[in-house]
Amino acid sequence: MRALVIDDSRTMRRIIVGVLRSLGFDTLEAGDGREALDVLESGIPVDLACIDWNMPVMNGLEFVLAVRENRAWRGLTLMMVTTESEHNQIVRALAAGAHEYVIKPFTPDAIRDKLQLLGLVELEESA
Amino acid sequence: MSTAIDMSLFGGADPIFTIADEVFSAMIDGEPGLLSEWFGEAPAIADPMYAWVDVDGVAPGRVLLSTERETALQITRALLEMGPDEVVGDADFVDALGEVANVVGGNVKALVPDPGALTLPQVTHERPPTSPENLLHELALAWRGRLLVISLWSLP
Amino acid sequence: MTLAPDSFSFVADLVRRRSAIQLEAGKEYLVESRLLPLARAAGTVDIDAYIRTMRASAAPAVLEAVVEALTTNETSWFRDAQPFATLTEHVVPELLAGRLGGGPLRIWSAACSTGQEPYSIAMTLADLVPGGRLKIHATDLNQQVLARARAGRYSQLEVNRGLPVTMLVKHFARIGVDWEVAAPLRAAVTFAQHNLLDVPPMGGPFDVVFLRNVLIYFDLATKRDVLRRVQRVVRPGGYLLLGAAETTIGIDDDWERVTVGRGSVYRLNVRRAA
C-alpha cells in the first residue's frame, strides 16, 4: 500500500508519514496540491492521499476536486487531515469528494481507526 | 474574529486551554497532564520566540504563541520525537513551531462566528506589533513547568 | 515507581469486591497510572503512600473513587465495526420481520461507558428503524461516565476515534470546542446506573444485548452469573453481541452461536431449560 502525504508543513508530513509507515504503508510526500498532482500524473500507483486543506499554490479542497475529475484516479482514497473543523467545512470537503476526514490535533490511533473504517488497515482484536 | 469569544458559553472551562491541552496531549506529549494553567503572575520572557496565524475576514484576528526559545526547542524535539542529542535545525524549528500555531489557531478559528481563512504561520524573534486595546484574551500556560502564552488579538 | 505487592493486592481485592472485575498480576502499571491523578489530588505522587492512607482511613468516598478510576475504559465509536454491520444486515431485519406491528425494538447496551456504543447503535439503525420504534437502554456501573454519556458531548479527539465522517456531519453539531450528539439520536437512548451482578435493569425484555469487552474482566463463575442474569431479560430468539475475543461457549449452553461475516452473535435458544 502506498500513501501520498500532502501538507505544506514538513513537521506535519513527518508525523503523518511516521504513523503510516508504522501501519505498513510506503509513503510519498508533497508540499501542496500541485506537487501532489505531479506525483499522481507521473504514474506511480497511490492508494491513499492524506490531504491538508490550507496550502499555497493549490489547496486541499482544489486537489480533491481535481482528483475526482480524473477517471484514472478513481481508486484513490482521499482523506483530509486538517485544522478546518467547522461543520460546513467538513460538508464542503465531502461534497467535493473526500472519503474521510481527520481533524488536527490527532493521535496515531485516530489515523489507524479511520484507515480501518476505509478497509486500508486490517482490524486487530480489541481489548 | 468578529467578536471576543463569549467565555460564558464554555461553562467555566477556558476553551483556549482545552484546545492547547488537546494539541499537546495528542501530538506533543502523547499523554495528557503535562500542560496546566500557569499559577500566579507569569514572568517576562527573556529570550522570546513568537509564532502566530491570522484569521482573515470581516473582523480579522491573530492567535499568537509566545515562549522562551529554549521551550520552543523542547516543543520541537517532542513534536518530532527527537532524541536529546539530536540537533534541531533552524528550518525544522520554524516549521514545527509554526505548525503548533497553525493547529491551535485553526481550532480557535472554529470558535468564532463567520471565521475567514487562516493565514500561513509566521515564526520570529521579534514580537509582532500589537496594541493593548486589541487584546481579546490571554492565557499563560505551564508545559512541563515552562511558560507558554497564548494570546488572541483583534487586528485593525 | 513499582507498586508494593500488598498495595496492589489490596486494590485488586477492593475492585473485585465492588465490581467483580479481576485485576491480575501484570496490571500493576494500570493501577499506578489510574491512581496517580487521585494521589496527586490528595497531595502525593507516591501511590503506595496513597493506598496506605486509603486503607487506614477507609473513607467510603475515597474507596469509591478508586474503584471508579480502575473500572473506566477508553472507547471508540463503532468499535470493531463488524457488530454494527451484523446489526443492520442480519439481526435487525430478522427481528423486524418477525414482529408484525409489535412494540419497539429494545436494545440494551451494558457497560456503555461514555456512551459511544449506544450512540453508535442509534446511528447505525437511524435509517433502518423508524424513530420511536427504537429504544436503546444503556447502563454502566460508573456514575461519572454515565453523566458524560447523557450529555452526549465529545471532544475533537474523541470524535476522531472510529467515527465515520458521514456520521459526524449527520448526527453531531459543533458546540464550542466540542461536538454534541443531535437531539433525535439522544432521544432514542436512556441511561441508568446498573451493576451486572444485580437484578437485571428495567427497559426489557430486550431483543438485543451488547455486552462487549466486559466478561473478559470476570472469572468463569462470575461470567456464568452475569450471563444468567442477562438471559432473564432477553426475549427468546433475542441476540447477544460480545467482544471480538469473547464467547459463551463453555460458559452458558443456552445461547446458540451464529456466524455472521467475520464474527459471531449469540441467539438465545428458544427451548431453554426453565
Side-chain angles (χ1 to χ4, degrees), chain C residues 108-131:
Chain C
W108 177 20
S109 168
C112 67
S113 186
T114 41
Q116 280 90 336
E117 184 178 86
Y119 289 128
S120 293
I121 296 168
M123 283 187 267
T124 300
L125 296 178
D127 292 332
L128 194 59
V129 182

Side-chain angles (χ1 to χ4, degrees), chain C:
Chain C
M1 183 202 327
T2 10
L3 205 59
D6 70 314
S7 294
F8 178 73
S9 54
F10 172 79
V11 170
D13 190 59
L14 172 70
V15 167
R16 189 183 55 251
R17 280 186 284 111
R18 296 281 180 107
S19 69
I21 286 176
Q22 301 268 82
L23 292 171
E24 322 97 326
K27 291 275 162 75
E28 286 83 2
Y29 74 94
L30 190 75
V31 172
E32 284 162 17
S33 67
R34 295 285 176 91
L35 294 190
L36 186 57
L38 294 181
R40 273 211 190 107
T44 178
V45 293
D46 182 344
I47 308 285
D48 283 317
Y50 176 70
I51 293 172
R52 272 198 303 277
T53 313
M54 185 200 357
R55 290 173 81 159
S57 74
V62 175
L63 296 174
E64 176 71 13
V66 165
V67 172
E68 293 226 320
L70 286 161
T71 56
T72 56
N73 292 296
E74 193 197 84
T75 56
S76 69
W77 304 87
F78 298 93
R79 190 169 172 190
D80 301 326
Q82 178 68 60
F84 301 91
T86 298
L87 212 51
T88 44
E89 289 159 19
H90 186 100
V91 168
V92 169
E94 182 191 290
L95 290 170
L96 289 179
R99 205 166 264 280
L100 300 173
L105 202 63
R106 294 180 189 277
I107 301 183
W108 177 20
S109 168
C112 67
S113 186
T114 41
Q116 280 90 336
E117 184 178 86
Y119 289 128
S120 293
I121 296 168
M123 283 187 267
T124 300
L125 296 178
D127 292 332
L128 194 59
V129 182
R133 288 208 64 198
L134 177 64
K135 296 221 181 299
I136 300 170
H137 191 61
T139 64
D140 200 280
L141 185 60
N142 184 311
Q143 287 283 29
Q144 281 177 328
V145 301
L146 280 173
R148 292 217 53 219
R150 277 191 193 100
R153 250 171 101 143
Y154 300 92
S155 70
Q156 201 115 276
L157 293 181
E158 285 173 318
V159 299
N160 263 341
R161 295 300 312 271
L163 179 62
V165 64
T166 47
M167 296 287 191
L168 176 69
V169 295
K170 187 169 172 187
H171 294 292
F172 289 75
R174 193 83 205 260
I175 308 269
V177 292
D178 294 328
W179 292 83
E180 191 178 81
V181 177
L185 218 68
R186 298 203 358 243
V189 187
T190 53
F191 292 93
Q193 188 184 35
H194 176 70
N195 188 329
L196 288 167
L197 299 176
D198 272 344
V199 171
M202 313 249 279
F206 299 102
D207 299 288
V208 183
V209 176
F210 274 67
L211 183 66
R212 310 196 65 234
N213 303 303
V214 178
L215 292 179
I216 46 174
Y217 292 102
F218 300 154
D219 62 24
L220 183 57
T222 313
K223 285 184 190 6
R224 287 208 169 103
D225 188 2
V226 169
L227 285 174
R228 284 280 142 75
R229 291 167 194 273
V230 164
Q231 209 190 92
R232 276 158 44 192
V233 288
V234 175
R235 285 187 199 278
Y239 283 92
L240 174 68
L241 273 65
L242 300 176
E246 298 175 313
T247 181
T248 59
I249 309 292
I251 304 167
D252 188 332
D253 295 344
D254 292 334
W255 303 87
E256 178 199 333
R257 176 153 71 180
V258 178
T259 305
V260 182
R262 291 155 57 122
S264 307
V265 294
Y266 298 87
R267 191 198 286 128
L268 186 59
N269 205 315
V270 179
R271 294 183 304 119
R272 68 175 187 268

Side-chain angles (χ1 to χ4, degrees), chain A:
Chain A
M1 286 270 175
R2 186 178 288 113
L4 175 58
V5 178
I6 312 162
D7 196 307
D8 58 316
S9 161
R10 202 167 59 233
T11 300
M12 193 51 70
R13 291 200 307 268
R14 190 157 148 176
I15 291 170
I16 299 172
V17 161
V19 174
L20 293 175
R21 289 226 182 114
S22 73
L23 293 169
F25 284 84
D26 292 329
T27 58
L28 296 167
E29 298 179 41
D32 61 59
R34 182 68 253 163
E35 272 183 37
L37 285 180
D38 291 343
V39 171
L40 295 180
E41 276 157 9
S42 74
I44 302 173
V46 177
D47 304 287
L48 168 71
C50 293
I51 313 151
D52 186 22
W53 191 308
N54 295 306
M55 299 181 288
V57 184
M58 179 189 278
N59 70 31
L61 193 70
E62 291 162 337
F63 171 80
V64 167
L65 288 164
V67 167
R68 295 293 254 165
E69 269 170 25
N70 189 326
R71 292 180 150 271
W73 302 326
R74 181 141 291 182
L76 176 59
T77 298
L78 301 167
M79 182 164 82
M80 305 296 297
V81 182
T82 172
T83 58
E84 296 294 323
S85 58
E86 295 97 333
H87 192 280
N88 67 314
Q89 290 289 69
I90 301 175
V91 170
R92 278 178 77 198
L94 291 176
H99 299 102
E100 258 301 338
Y101 203 104
V102 171
I103 301 168
K104 294 176 185 175
F106 57 84
T107 58
D109 280 347
I111 302 269
R112 190 202 60 209
D113 284 353
K114 291 286 184 174
L115 296 181
Q116 282 176 353
L117 284 175
L118 292 164
L120 294 172
V121 163
E122 276 296 299
L123 287 177
E124 59 181 61
E125 299 273 272
S126 57

